[in-house]
Amino acid sequence: MKHWWYRFYYTTRGVLWPLWVGLVNLFRRPVTIQYPHEKPRLFPRSRMMLYNDIDNCIGCLQCARVCPVDCIAIETVKADRDLGVTNTGHKKKLYVTVFDIDEAKCCYCNLCTEVCPTECLVMTPNFEGSVYDRYHLVLRFAKITPEERAEILRKAGGKTAGVTGILARKV
Amino acid sequence: MVAVPVERFEKTGEGFVLLTTVDAIFNWARLSALWPMTFGLACCAIEMMVTVSARTDLDRFGAGVFRASPRQADLMIVAGTVTIKMATRVKRLYEQMPEPKYVISMGSCATCGGPYWDHGYHVLKGVNRVIPVDVYVPGCPPRPEALYEGLLILRENPARTAPVQLQAVPCRPDDGGIEPMGPAEIGHKLKASLGDEKVLDVRADVLEPYIRIAPAALREAAQLLRHDPDLAFDFLMCLSGVDYIGQNEIEVVYHLFSFRHRHRIALKVRVPRDDPRVPTVSDIWRTAEWHEREAYDLLGIVFEGHPDLRRILLPEDWEGFPLRKDYEVQAYYHDIPVPYDIRQDFEKGTWVFEEEVRPA
């Protein structure tokens, strides 16, 4: 008889408790973020896709050197005119003719932004970058067009100040 | 198989008017019930699981029904690092899925090999080498919302909003009064038991003190180290191999630790590189079994007496031993290209310049 009461108690509790949980959650605010229409609240220092403010870039190649996956390709040419200074007061002595970041290879480690002396390379909270072709994930930040680049290189006699990343590889 | 939107069908002029409309209905039905396959390879799969959970509910778009069988699935989310060994399995799973089927390559590793694109001989450099990929999702790993966006891109959903605007001491327990032995003492004890000619070298003044043993005396030394009550090395922390190509020798290092006495030592054995044969210790420390398989897999060291000496990480028909200094990776494995194709980067990436302006 005692066992009967035990079983009665546990069975009743086992039936009623889930019902109670369901009832409570019925009136609770849903946790789902309606993603395409509302964005998730990211943390202040979220590390997502890279962005380079090329106007403040001095082409020091430090980001490309520290990059563990070698996804930053930079080419610089010595400037033949005064390019001004960056926001941080560094003098811009080089044309940054190519500044490409392959987002497909980037592993979001934040090393490149830490070494950046002018704080122009930053990690943005932008995480949306899905593409149909993987080569669309190569972000080009240099403002110099291919024609201008050819002109700059011709003036410099084909001599570059620094080449890194995939550009330094032999095909 | 690419998810073709309705407008593109009309532009290409495929089929008749009635069929075009039917196709549109079919397309809508397919893309509103994309059933992914239950299938995860690495850390990206954790984010994929979060995508299905309540916060970013993948079921809102009919893609939350993860099917356990490829025959019932029509979306393959390649979440994680695809090793060469896994690539053939991924391909087989893809072939088992019924048409129409779609593939999302999630994260850096699946897209281009990720951090392993340069030096990883064992990683497939982009899953598009074995199966056609529809959408690439960048990230390492991507956020759940990023995978969501990839799904929406696959569906070409106009509800997608504009991108976000830019903003700018090892803890050591109490010894309990037992004094650990120093490396010199351990070496002395070994020499006393085995004889001076079998213990080749005892170095206590280096960062990781070690004892070098003649290969023939390895099992004897291992038995002594394991079972002697004063030594009692009951834990083989690591077994690794080193290729000394200059001296034409291969070294096997056994890192030992004693939980009872809390002392440690490294045991080293050197064998000729052409025919590296070391007696197994897998019956003395059971940990050594798969450690020795790994050393055999990557360096080609044959452990004599090992119960099951097969490759453990790489496919069984792989050529060569990758951690040898003179190793050259094979060009193809079962028609899958293995090394990263930098030429394709130059051709299809941004790095296309006129030949005359490229610096010499």
Short mmCIF file of all heavy atoms in Angstrom, two decimals, chain A residues 32-36 39-40 42 69 73 100 104-106 108 124 127-132 134-135 138 140 149 153 166 169 171, chain B residues 54-55 60 108 111-112 115 117-118 134-136 138-140 143 145 149-150 152-153 156 161 166 340 345-346 350-351 353 357:
data_model
loop_
_atom_site.label_atom_id
_atom_site.label_comp_id
_atom_site.label_asym_id
_atom_site.label_seq_id
_atom_site.Cartn_x
_atom_site.Cartn_y
_atom_site.Cartn_z
N THR A 32 13.36 34.05 -29.33
CA THR A 32 13.86 34.04 -30.71
C THR A 32 14.13 35.45 -31.21
O THR A 32 13.29 36.33 -31.05
CB THR A 32 12.84 33.35 -31.62
OG1 THR A 32 12.54 32.08 -31.08
CG2 THR A 32 13.39 33.19 -33.01
N ILE A 33 15.30 35.64 -31.80
CA ILE A 33 15.61 36.89 -32.48
C ILE A 33 15.16 36.72 -33.92
O ILE A 33 15.63 35.81 -34.61
CB ILE A 33 17.11 37.20 -32.42
CG1 ILE A 33 17.57 37.26 -30.96
CG2 ILE A 33 17.43 38.48 -33.13
CD1 ILE A 33 19.06 37.27 -30.83
N GLN A 34 14.27 37.58 -34.37
CA GLN A 34 13.77 37.47 -35.75
C GLN A 34 14.86 37.98 -36.67
O GLN A 34 14.80 39.10 -37.16
CB GLN A 34 12.46 38.24 -35.90
CG GLN A 34 11.36 37.76 -34.97
CD GLN A 34 10.84 36.40 -35.36
OE1 GLN A 34 10.91 36.00 -36.51
NE2 GLN A 34 10.34 35.65 -34.38
N TYR A 35 15.85 37.13 -36.97
CA TYR A 35 17.12 37.62 -37.45
C TYR A 35 17.10 38.55 -38.67
O TYR A 35 17.59 39.66 -38.56
CB TYR A 35 18.11 36.49 -37.71
CG TYR A 35 19.20 36.91 -38.62
CD1 TYR A 35 20.09 37.90 -38.22
CD2 TYR A 35 19.31 36.41 -39.92
CE1 TYR A 35 21.07 38.35 -39.07
CE2 TYR A 35 20.29 36.87 -40.76
CZ TYR A 35 21.16 37.84 -40.34
OH TYR A 35 22.11 38.30 -41.19
N PRO A 36 16.54 38.20 -39.80
CA PRO A 36 16.74 39.14 -40.91
C PRO A 36 16.12 40.51 -40.63
O PRO A 36 16.54 41.50 -41.21
CB PRO A 36 16.06 38.46 -42.09
CG PRO A 36 15.79 37.08 -41.67
CD PRO A 36 15.72 37.07 -40.19
N LYS A 39 18.61 42.58 -35.57
CA LYS A 39 19.97 42.08 -35.43
C LYS A 39 20.22 41.62 -34.00
O LYS A 39 19.63 42.15 -33.07
CB LYS A 39 20.97 43.19 -35.75
CG LYS A 39 20.83 43.72 -37.14
CD LYS A 39 21.39 42.75 -38.13
CE LYS A 39 21.16 43.27 -39.53
NZ LYS A 39 21.52 42.34 -40.55
N PRO A 40 21.11 40.65 -33.83
CA PRO A 40 21.48 40.29 -32.47
C PRO A 40 22.31 41.40 -31.85
O PRO A 40 23.02 42.12 -32.55
CB PRO A 40 22.31 39.02 -32.66
CG PRO A 40 22.87 39.14 -34.03
CD PRO A 40 21.82 39.85 -34.83
N LEU A 42 25.38 42.49 -30.29
CA LEU A 42 26.73 41.96 -30.18
C LEU A 42 27.46 42.64 -29.04
O LEU A 42 27.09 43.73 -28.61
CB LEU A 42 27.50 42.18 -31.48
CG LEU A 42 26.92 41.50 -32.71
CD1 LEU A 42 27.79 41.77 -33.91
CD2 LEU A 42 26.80 40.02 -32.49
N VAL A 69 47.75 33.28 -40.84
CA VAL A 69 47.30 32.51 -42.00
C VAL A 69 47.69 33.19 -43.31
O VAL A 69 47.34 32.70 -44.36
CB VAL A 69 45.77 32.28 -41.97
CG1 VAL A 69 45.40 31.40 -40.82
CG2 VAL A 69 45.02 33.58 -41.89
N ALA A 73 47.38 40.70 -48.32
CA ALA A 73 48.32 40.95 -49.42
C ALA A 73 48.46 42.46 -49.59
O ALA A 73 47.48 43.15 -49.84
CB ALA A 73 47.81 40.32 -50.71
N ASP A 100 44.74 43.89 -49.98
CA ASP A 100 43.66 42.92 -50.12
C ASP A 100 43.67 41.98 -48.93
O ASP A 100 44.71 41.50 -48.51
CB ASP A 100 43.85 42.07 -51.38
CG ASP A 100 43.67 42.91 -52.63
OD1 ASP A 100 43.20 44.05 -52.50
OD2 ASP A 100 44.01 42.43 -53.72
N ALA A 104 38.09 34.73 -46.65
CA ALA A 104 37.87 33.29 -46.58
C ALA A 104 38.93 32.62 -45.72
O ALA A 104 38.68 31.63 -45.06
CB ALA A 104 37.89 32.68 -47.97
N LYS A 105 40.16 33.19 -45.72
CA LYS A 105 41.23 32.57 -44.94
C LYS A 105 41.31 33.15 -43.53
O LYS A 105 41.82 32.49 -42.64
CB LYS A 105 42.57 32.80 -45.64
CG LYS A 105 42.72 32.03 -46.91
CD LYS A 105 43.98 32.44 -47.63
CE LYS A 105 43.98 31.90 -49.03
NZ LYS A 105 44.87 32.66 -49.89
N CYS A 106 40.84 34.37 -43.34
CA CYS A 106 40.98 35.07 -42.05
C CYS A 106 40.35 34.23 -40.94
O CYS A 106 39.28 33.67 -41.10
CB CYS A 106 40.28 36.42 -42.14
SG CYS A 106 40.27 37.32 -40.59
N TYR A 108 40.07 35.59 -37.74
CA TYR A 108 39.52 36.52 -36.75
C TYR A 108 40.29 36.51 -35.43
O TYR A 108 39.71 36.50 -34.36
CB TYR A 108 38.04 36.24 -36.51
CG TYR A 108 37.24 36.25 -37.77
CD1 TYR A 108 37.16 35.14 -38.58
CD2 TYR A 108 36.58 37.41 -38.17
CE1 TYR A 108 36.46 35.16 -39.76
CE2 TYR A 108 35.87 37.43 -39.35
CZ TYR A 108 35.80 36.30 -40.13
OH TYR A 108 35.11 36.33 -41.29
N THR A 124 35.36 44.77 -37.43
CA THR A 124 34.03 45.35 -37.35
C THR A 124 33.06 44.31 -36.83
O THR A 124 33.35 43.11 -36.90
CB THR A 124 33.58 45.80 -38.75
OG1 THR A 124 33.41 44.62 -39.53
CG2 THR A 124 34.61 46.70 -39.39
N PHE A 127 29.13 40.67 -39.56
CA PHE A 127 29.37 39.24 -39.76
C PHE A 127 28.73 38.71 -41.02
O PHE A 127 28.83 37.54 -41.32
CB PHE A 127 28.87 38.44 -38.56
CG PHE A 127 27.43 38.67 -38.23
CD1 PHE A 127 26.45 38.01 -38.91
CD2 PHE A 127 27.07 39.58 -37.23
CE1 PHE A 127 25.12 38.23 -38.61
CE2 PHE A 127 25.75 39.80 -36.94
CZ PHE A 127 24.76 39.13 -37.62
N GLU A 128 28.03 39.56 -41.77
CA GLU A 128 27.27 39.05 -42.91
C GLU A 128 28.11 39.16 -44.17
O GLU A 128 28.37 40.27 -44.65
CB GLU A 128 25.99 39.86 -43.07
CG GLU A 128 25.06 39.67 -41.90
CD GLU A 128 24.11 40.82 -41.75
OE1 GLU A 128 24.57 41.97 -41.78
OE2 GLU A 128 22.92 40.56 -41.60
N GLY A 129 28.54 38.07 -44.69
CA GLY A 129 29.37 38.14 -45.89
C GLY A 129 29.21 36.94 -46.79
O GLY A 129 30.11 36.59 -47.53
N SER A 130 28.07 36.27 -46.73
CA SER A 130 27.90 35.07 -47.54
C SER A 130 27.90 35.42 -49.02
O SER A 130 27.30 36.41 -49.44
CB SER A 130 26.59 34.37 -47.19
OG SER A 130 26.61 33.99 -45.84
N VAL A 131 28.59 34.61 -49.81
CA VAL A 131 28.72 34.87 -51.24
C VAL A 131 28.53 33.57 -51.99
O VAL A 131 28.58 32.48 -51.43
CB VAL A 131 30.10 35.45 -51.58
CG1 VAL A 131 30.23 36.88 -51.13
CG2 VAL A 131 31.19 34.59 -51.00
N TYR A 132 28.33 33.70 -53.33
CA TYR A 132 28.20 32.51 -54.17
C TYR A 132 29.56 32.03 -54.65
O TYR A 132 29.72 30.87 -54.97
CB TYR A 132 27.32 32.82 -55.38
CG TYR A 132 25.90 33.10 -55.01
CD1 TYR A 132 25.31 34.32 -55.30
CD2 TYR A 132 25.14 32.15 -54.35
CE1 TYR A 132 24.01 34.57 -54.95
CE2 TYR A 132 23.85 32.40 -54.00
CZ TYR A 132 23.28 33.61 -54.31
OH TYR A 132 22.00 33.86 -53.96
N ARG A 134 33.75 32.02 -53.88
CA ARG A 134 34.64 32.25 -52.76
C ARG A 134 35.58 33.42 -53.01
O ARG A 134 36.03 34.08 -52.08
CB ARG A 134 35.40 30.96 -52.49
CG ARG A 134 36.84 31.07 -52.34
CD ARG A 134 37.46 29.83 -51.80
NE ARG A 134 38.86 29.78 -52.12
CZ ARG A 134 39.73 30.72 -51.82
NH1 ARG A 134 39.34 31.80 -51.21
NH2 ARG A 134 40.98 30.58 -52.14
N TYR A 135 35.88 33.74 -54.27
CA TYR A 135 36.80 34.84 -54.54
C TYR A 135 36.13 36.20 -54.34
O TYR A 135 36.80 37.21 -54.39
CB TYR A 135 37.40 34.70 -55.94
CG TYR A 135 38.37 33.56 -55.97
CD1 TYR A 135 37.99 32.31 -56.44
CD2 TYR A 135 39.64 33.71 -55.46
CE1 TYR A 135 38.87 31.25 -56.42
CE2 TYR A 135 40.53 32.66 -55.43
CZ TYR A 135 40.14 31.43 -55.91
OH TYR A 135 41.01 30.39 -55.87
N VAL A 138 37.39 38.18 -51.16
CA VAL A 138 38.62 38.97 -51.11
C VAL A 138 38.20 40.45 -51.08
O VAL A 138 37.59 40.94 -52.01
CB VAL A 138 39.51 38.68 -52.33
CG1 VAL A 138 40.74 39.55 -52.28
CG2 VAL A 138 39.89 37.23 -52.36
N ARG A 140 39.05 44.31 -51.19
CA ARG A 140 40.10 45.18 -51.70
C ARG A 140 39.90 46.55 -51.06
O ARG A 140 38.83 47.12 -51.15
CB ARG A 140 40.02 45.30 -53.21
CG ARG A 140 39.46 44.09 -53.88
CD ARG A 140 39.22 44.31 -55.33
NE ARG A 140 40.49 44.31 -56.04
CZ ARG A 140 40.58 44.34 -57.36
NH1 ARG A 140 39.50 44.42 -58.08
NH2 ARG A 140 41.74 44.32 -57.94
N ARG A 149 47.94 52.33 -60.54
CA ARG A 149 49.01 51.49 -60.01
C ARG A 149 50.08 51.25 -61.06
O ARG A 149 51.28 51.31 -60.79
CB ARG A 149 48.40 50.16 -59.55
CG ARG A 149 49.41 49.17 -59.08
CD ARG A 149 48.74 47.95 -58.53
NE ARG A 149 49.73 46.94 -58.22
CZ ARG A 149 50.20 46.08 -59.10
NH1 ARG A 149 49.77 46.12 -60.34
NH2 ARG A 149 51.11 45.20 -58.74
N LEU A 153 53.92 52.39 -60.65
CA LEU A 153 55.01 51.43 -60.77
C LEU A 153 55.94 51.79 -61.92
O LEU A 153 57.15 51.59 -61.82
CB LEU A 153 54.43 50.03 -61.00
CG LEU A 153 54.09 49.24 -59.74
CD1 LEU A 153 53.42 47.95 -60.13
CD2 LEU A 153 55.34 48.94 -58.94
N ILE A 166 49.96 36.85 -50.57
CA ILE A 166 49.91 36.02 -51.76
C ILE A 166 50.72 36.65 -52.89
O ILE A 166 51.21 35.99 -53.78
CB ILE A 166 48.43 35.80 -52.17
CG1 ILE A 166 48.29 34.61 -53.09
CG2 ILE A 166 47.86 37.02 -52.82
CD1 ILE A 166 47.92 33.39 -52.36
N ARG A 169 54.18 35.38 -53.22
CA ARG A 169 54.36 33.97 -53.58
C ARG A 169 54.74 33.84 -55.04
O ARG A 169 54.39 34.66 -55.87
CB ARG A 169 53.07 33.19 -53.33
CG ARG A 169 52.58 33.24 -51.93
CD ARG A 169 53.54 32.55 -51.02
NE ARG A 169 53.10 32.66 -49.64
CZ ARG A 169 52.43 31.70 -49.02
NH1 ARG A 169 52.11 30.61 -49.64
NH2 ARG A 169 52.09 31.84 -47.76
N VAL A 171 54.04 31.97 -58.43
CA VAL A 171 52.93 31.24 -59.03
C VAL A 171 53.45 29.96 -59.65
O VAL A 171 54.42 29.98 -60.36
CB VAL A 171 52.25 32.10 -60.10
CG1 VAL A 171 51.06 31.35 -60.67
CG2 VAL A 171 51.82 33.40 -59.50
N ALA B 54 16.57 27.77 -29.95
CA ALA B 54 15.42 28.67 -29.88
C ALA B 54 15.78 30.12 -30.24
O ALA B 54 14.96 30.86 -30.76
CB ALA B 54 14.83 28.62 -28.47
N ARG B 55 17.03 30.53 -29.96
CA ARG B 55 17.33 31.96 -30.13
C ARG B 55 17.30 32.40 -31.59
O ARG B 55 16.69 33.39 -31.95
CB ARG B 55 18.70 32.26 -29.51
CG ARG B 55 18.99 33.72 -29.43
CD ARG B 55 20.23 33.97 -28.63
NE ARG B 55 20.01 33.75 -27.21
CZ ARG B 55 19.53 34.66 -26.38
NH1 ARG B 55 19.24 35.85 -26.82
NH2 ARG B 55 19.36 34.38 -25.12
N ARG B 60 12.05 28.61 -38.53
CA ARG B 60 11.16 29.64 -39.06
C ARG B 60 11.14 29.61 -40.57
O ARG B 60 10.20 30.07 -41.20
CB ARG B 60 11.62 31.03 -38.59
CG ARG B 60 11.34 31.28 -37.13
CD ARG B 60 11.78 32.66 -36.76
NE ARG B 60 13.22 32.77 -36.77
CZ ARG B 60 13.88 33.85 -37.15
NH1 ARG B 60 13.21 34.90 -37.58
NH2 ARG B 60 15.17 33.89 -37.12
N SER B 108 35.84 29.15 -42.55
CA SER B 108 37.07 29.27 -43.33
C SER B 108 37.56 27.92 -43.84
O SER B 108 37.94 27.79 -44.99
CB SER B 108 38.17 29.90 -42.48
OG SER B 108 37.89 31.24 -42.24
N THR B 111 35.72 26.50 -46.67
CA THR B 111 35.75 27.35 -47.85
C THR B 111 37.07 27.23 -48.59
O THR B 111 37.09 27.07 -49.80
CB THR B 111 35.50 28.81 -47.43
OG1 THR B 111 34.25 28.87 -46.77
CG2 THR B 111 35.47 29.71 -48.63
N CYS B 112 38.19 27.33 -47.88
CA CYS B 112 39.48 27.33 -48.59
C CYS B 112 40.56 26.60 -47.81
O CYS B 112 41.72 26.73 -48.13
CB CYS B 112 39.93 28.75 -48.88
SG CYS B 112 40.38 29.66 -47.43
N PRO B 115 42.93 28.14 -41.74
CA PRO B 115 44.30 28.29 -41.24
C PRO B 115 45.25 27.23 -41.80
O PRO B 115 46.45 27.37 -41.68
CB PRO B 115 44.16 28.12 -39.72
CG PRO B 115 42.72 28.29 -39.45
CD PRO B 115 41.99 27.88 -40.66
N TRP B 117 45.44 26.40 -44.97
CA TRP B 117 45.51 26.49 -46.43
C TRP B 117 46.94 26.42 -46.92
O TRP B 117 47.22 25.94 -48.02
CB TRP B 117 44.84 27.78 -46.93
CG TRP B 117 45.65 29.02 -46.73
CD1 TRP B 117 45.64 29.83 -45.65
CD2 TRP B 117 46.59 29.59 -47.65
NE1 TRP B 117 46.51 30.85 -45.83
CE2 TRP B 117 47.10 30.73 -47.05
CE3 TRP B 117 47.03 29.25 -48.93
CZ2 TRP B 117 48.04 31.54 -47.66
CZ3 TRP B 117 47.95 30.04 -49.54
CH2 TRP B 117 48.46 31.18 -48.91
N ASP B 118 47.90 26.84 -46.10
CA ASP B 118 49.28 26.94 -46.58
C ASP B 118 50.06 25.67 -46.24
O ASP B 118 50.68 25.07 -47.10
CB ASP B 118 49.92 28.15 -45.92
CG ASP B 118 51.12 28.61 -46.70
OD1 ASP B 118 51.40 27.98 -47.73
OD2 ASP B 118 51.76 29.59 -46.31
N ASP B 134 27.18 25.97 -53.17
CA ASP B 134 26.29 27.05 -53.58
C ASP B 134 26.61 28.34 -52.87
O ASP B 134 26.66 29.40 -53.48
CB ASP B 134 24.84 26.66 -53.31
CG ASP B 134 24.42 25.50 -54.19
OD1 ASP B 134 24.54 25.65 -55.41
OD2 ASP B 134 23.99 24.48 -53.66
N VAL B 135 26.80 28.30 -51.57
CA VAL B 135 27.02 29.52 -50.80
C VAL B 135 28.21 29.31 -49.87
O VAL B 135 28.35 28.25 -49.25
CB VAL B 135 25.76 29.89 -49.98
CG1 VAL B 135 26.07 31.01 -49.00
CG2 VAL B 135 24.64 30.30 -50.89
N TYR B 136 29.06 30.33 -49.81
CA TYR B 136 30.17 30.30 -48.86
C TYR B 136 29.86 31.27 -47.73
O TYR B 136 29.52 32.42 -47.96
CB TYR B 136 31.47 30.76 -49.53
CG TYR B 136 31.95 29.85 -50.61
CD1 TYR B 136 31.60 30.07 -51.93
CD2 TYR B 136 32.76 28.77 -50.33
CE1 TYR B 136 32.04 29.25 -52.94
CE2 TYR B 136 33.21 27.93 -51.32
CZ TYR B 136 32.84 28.19 -52.63
OH TYR B 136 33.27 27.36 -53.62
N PRO B 138 31.56 33.17 -44.64
CA PRO B 138 32.85 33.44 -44.01
C PRO B 138 32.73 33.47 -42.49
O PRO B 138 31.66 33.73 -41.95
CB PRO B 138 33.24 34.80 -44.56
CG PRO B 138 31.94 35.48 -44.76
CD PRO B 138 30.96 34.41 -45.14
N GLY B 139 33.82 33.24 -41.81
CA GLY B 139 33.81 33.27 -40.35
C GLY B 139 34.66 32.14 -39.82
O GLY B 139 34.91 31.17 -40.51
N CYS B 140 35.09 32.29 -38.57
CA CYS B 140 35.98 31.27 -38.02
C CYS B 140 35.69 31.09 -36.54
O CYS B 140 36.46 31.51 -35.72
CB CYS B 140 37.43 31.63 -38.26
SG CYS B 140 38.55 30.31 -37.85
N ARG B 143 29.08 33.29 -36.93
CA ARG B 143 28.00 33.37 -35.93
C ARG B 143 26.80 32.58 -36.43
O ARG B 143 26.67 32.34 -37.63
CB ARG B 143 27.57 34.83 -35.76
CG ARG B 143 28.46 35.69 -34.94
CD ARG B 143 27.78 37.01 -34.74
NE ARG B 143 26.60 36.84 -33.91
CZ ARG B 143 26.61 36.75 -32.58
NH1 ARG B 143 27.75 36.83 -31.95
NH2 ARG B 143 25.52 36.60 -31.89
N GLU B 145 23.93 33.68 -36.75
CA GLU B 145 23.21 34.55 -37.68
C GLU B 145 23.88 34.58 -39.05
O GLU B 145 23.23 34.77 -40.07
CB GLU B 145 23.11 35.97 -37.12
CG GLU B 145 22.18 36.11 -35.94
CD GLU B 145 22.85 35.76 -34.64
OE1 GLU B 145 24.07 35.57 -34.64
OE2 GLU B 145 22.15 35.67 -33.62
N GLU B 149 22.26 33.89 -42.50
CA GLU B 149 22.33 34.74 -43.68
C GLU B 149 22.70 33.93 -44.91
O GLU B 149 22.19 34.16 -46.00
CB GLU B 149 23.36 35.85 -43.43
CG GLU B 149 23.24 36.98 -44.42
CD GLU B 149 24.58 37.34 -44.99
OE1 GLU B 149 25.57 36.70 -44.64
OE2 GLU B 149 24.62 38.26 -45.81
N GLY B 150 23.61 32.96 -44.72
CA GLY B 150 23.97 32.09 -45.83
C GLY B 150 22.76 31.34 -46.36
O GLY B 150 22.59 31.21 -47.57
N LEU B 152 19.69 32.38 -46.13
CA LEU B 152 18.81 33.33 -46.80
C LEU B 152 19.37 33.70 -48.17
O LEU B 152 18.61 33.90 -49.12
CB LEU B 152 18.66 34.59 -45.94
CG LEU B 152 17.93 34.36 -44.62
CD1 LEU B 152 17.84 35.66 -43.85
CD2 LEU B 152 16.56 33.81 -44.86
N ILE B 153 20.71 33.78 -48.26
CA ILE B 153 21.33 34.03 -49.55
C ILE B 153 21.01 32.89 -50.50
O ILE B 153 20.72 33.09 -51.68
CB ILE B 153 22.86 34.16 -49.37
CG1 ILE B 153 23.20 35.48 -48.70
CG2 ILE B 153 23.58 33.99 -50.69
CD1 ILE B 153 23.65 36.54 -49.65
N GLU B 156 17.78 33.45 -51.62
CA GLU B 156 17.67 34.78 -52.23
C GLU B 156 16.47 35.53 -51.66
O GLU B 156 15.56 35.94 -52.37
CB GLU B 156 17.57 34.70 -53.73
CG GLU B 156 18.86 34.27 -54.35
CD GLU B 156 19.10 34.95 -55.68
OE1 GLU B 156 18.13 35.35 -56.32
OE2 GLU B 156 20.26 35.10 -56.03
N THR B 161 18.36 42.44 -44.52
CA THR B 161 18.56 43.86 -44.32
C THR B 161 19.98 44.25 -44.69
O THR B 161 20.84 43.43 -44.93
CB THR B 161 18.31 44.22 -42.86
OG1 THR B 161 19.02 43.29 -42.05
CG2 THR B 161 16.85 44.14 -42.53
N LEU B 166 29.54 50.53 -39.73
CA LEU B 166 30.81 50.33 -39.06
C LEU B 166 30.92 51.16 -37.79
O LEU B 166 30.45 52.30 -37.76
CB LEU B 166 31.96 50.71 -40.00
CG LEU B 166 32.06 49.85 -41.24
CD1 LEU B 166 33.21 50.32 -42.09
CD2 LEU B 166 32.26 48.42 -40.85
N TYR B 340 47.37 23.52 -52.11
CA TYR B 340 46.62 24.73 -52.40
C TYR B 340 47.04 25.29 -53.75
O TYR B 340 48.22 25.27 -54.09
CB TYR B 340 46.90 25.77 -51.32
CG TYR B 340 45.97 26.96 -51.36
CD1 TYR B 340 44.74 26.91 -50.75
CD2 TYR B 340 46.32 28.11 -52.02
CE1 TYR B 340 43.89 27.96 -50.78
CE2 TYR B 340 45.48 29.19 -52.07
CZ TYR B 340 44.26 29.12 -51.45
OH TYR B 340 43.42 30.18 -51.50
N ASP B 345 44.34 31.42 -57.30
CA ASP B 345 44.18 32.67 -56.56
C ASP B 345 44.51 33.86 -57.44
O ASP B 345 43.81 34.86 -57.46
CB ASP B 345 45.12 32.67 -55.35
CG ASP B 345 44.36 32.40 -54.08
OD1 ASP B 345 43.19 32.04 -54.18
OD2 ASP B 345 44.94 32.55 -53.00
N PHE B 346 45.60 33.74 -58.18
CA PHE B 346 45.99 34.85 -59.04
C PHE B 346 45.00 35.04 -60.17
O PHE B 346 44.73 36.14 -60.59
CB PHE B 346 47.40 34.61 -59.60
CG PHE B 346 48.47 35.07 -58.67
CD1 PHE B 346 49.10 34.19 -57.85
CD2 PHE B 346 48.83 36.41 -58.62
CE1 PHE B 346 50.09 34.61 -56.98
CE2 PHE B 346 49.81 36.84 -57.76
CZ PHE B 346 50.44 35.94 -56.93
N THR B 350 41.78 38.74 -56.68
CA THR B 350 42.00 40.12 -57.11
C THR B 350 43.35 40.29 -57.76
O THR B 350 43.62 41.31 -58.33
CB THR B 350 41.95 41.04 -55.91
OG1 THR B 350 42.96 40.63 -55.01
CG2 THR B 350 40.62 40.98 -55.25
N TRP B 351 44.20 39.30 -57.61
CA TRP B 351 45.61 39.52 -57.96
C TRP B 351 45.87 39.29 -59.42
O TRP B 351 46.73 38.51 -59.80
CB TRP B 351 46.47 38.63 -57.08
CG TRP B 351 46.20 38.89 -55.66
CD1 TRP B 351 46.62 39.94 -54.94
CD2 TRP B 351 45.40 38.11 -54.80
NE1 TRP B 351 46.15 39.87 -53.66
CE2 TRP B 351 45.40 38.76 -53.54
CE3 TRP B 351 44.69 36.94 -54.95
CZ2 TRP B 351 44.70 38.26 -52.46
CZ3 TRP B 351 44.00 36.45 -53.88
CH2 TRP B 351 44.01 37.11 -52.65
N PHE B 353 46.98 41.11 -62.60
CA PHE B 353 47.58 42.33 -63.10
C PHE B 353 48.21 42.04 -64.46
O PHE B 353 48.46 40.91 -64.81
CB PHE B 353 48.67 42.86 -62.16
CG PHE B 353 48.19 43.06 -60.77
CD1 PHE B 353 48.76 42.36 -59.74
CD2 PHE B 353 47.15 43.94 -60.50
CE1 PHE B 353 48.32 42.53 -58.45
CE2 PHE B 353 46.71 44.11 -59.22
CZ PHE B 353 47.28 43.41 -58.18
N VAL B 357 53.54 45.06 -65.45
CA VAL B 357 53.65 45.91 -64.27
C VAL B 357 53.96 45.09 -63.02
O VAL B 357 54.35 45.64 -62.01
CB VAL B 357 52.36 46.72 -64.01
CG1 VAL B 357 52.20 47.77 -65.07
CG2 VAL B 357 51.17 45.83 -63.92
#
